[in-house]
Amino acid sequence: MNNDLKEKDSKLINRRVLAVEPYFTNGNKSKITTTHGIHYSKVSVLELLNNACIRYASTIEGRMKATKEVMDYNQKTPVLINPNEFGAFPTLSYKNIECVWIFNHHFYVNELGNGKSQIVFDNGIHLTLKASKNVLLKQQQRLHTAISIFSNMEHSE
């Protein structure tokens, strides 16, 4: 794959991203929902997230490892892509092909039943996900806690 495309698309992963999800249509591999609209990419979700982490001097594995060590979150570990600014949490195991990554924007959750929920962001954009309301709220809290703890660690020096 063209490295310019990977780099260009990973730059879409910033503070305006609401969610990144797998999307396999017309040669695309991912769908990036932002506060400014929807973008499709031929780059996979994990490649997009990893390349975004690399812009901030780490890898997705490095970010996960740091969070796991400090927070003792061993499953569905949130990733602080740019610590103190933005990160995301997985709705399923990050290795699951259906995993959606939700970023640190305010949202509320409607339980739909059968293990599905709808998240609604403050701007009205909504997504239906294969995750319970409880899981989504727990993951949201874990992400915000990680951002807060890492921010406090940095500022206490």
Side-chain angles (χ1 to χ4, degrees):
M1 163 140 329
N2 181 331
N3 278 338
D4 291 339
L5 178 63
K6 285 183 183 180
E7 186 176 321
K8 176 184 151 286
D9 285 357
S10 75
K11 286 182 179 175
L12 294 170
I13 308 300
N14 57 40
R15 279 182 261 163
R16 292 184 297 274
V17 172
L18 300 171
V20 179
E21 60 191 295
Y23 185 85
F24 301 104
T25 303
N26 296 328
N28 292 309
K29 293 183 180 178
S30 56
K31 177 180 173 183
I32 306 163
T33 302
T34 75
T35 57
H36 297 300
I38 294 173
H39 306 276
Y40 298 93
S41 176
K42 297 190 183 321
V43 180
S44 74
V45 170
L46 287 178
E47 283 182 287
L48 287 170
L49 294 173
N50 190 54
N51 290 337
C53 288
I54 289 169
R55 283 201 326 270
Y56 299 100
S58 189
T59 61
I60 192 168
E61 291 86 6
R63 296 287 189 218
M64 281 185 185
K65 183 176 180 187
T67 301
K68 284 178 182 181
E69 287 195 22
V70 172
M71 307 297 300
D72 196 30
Y73 295 157
N74 291 313
Q75 295 181 338
K76 298 182 198 162
T77 305
V79 172
L80 303 182
I81 296 167
N82 182 357
N84 305 323
E85 287 196 38
F86 69 97
F89 67 81
T91 57
L92 303 166
S93 164
Y94 76 99
K95 294 177 182 177
N96 186 316
I97 192 74
E98 296 180 346
C99 178
V100 177
W101 289 80
I102 307 298
F103 285 68
N104 56 307
H105 290 269
H106 185 263
F107 62 80
Y108 63 92
V109 182
N110 297 317
E111 186 89 50
L112 300 176
N114 296 325
K116 291 186 178 183
S117 298
Q118 179 188 61
I119 61 172
V120 182
F121 294 97
D122 285 348
N123 62 4
I125 292 175
H126 58 278
L127 300 169
T128 299
L129 304 167
K130 288 185 181 180
S132 71
K133 180 177 183 176
N134 189 40
V135 164
L136 292 171
L137 293 177
K138 178 180 176 184
Q139 286 296 93
Q140 179 186 43
Q141 182 59 50
R142 290 171 80 183
L143 174 60
H144 288 289
T145 299
I147 290 170
S148 178
I149 286 176
F150 278 92
S151 178
N152 288 337
M153 287 171 60
E154 180 180 315
H155 292 104
S156 68
E157 296 176 357

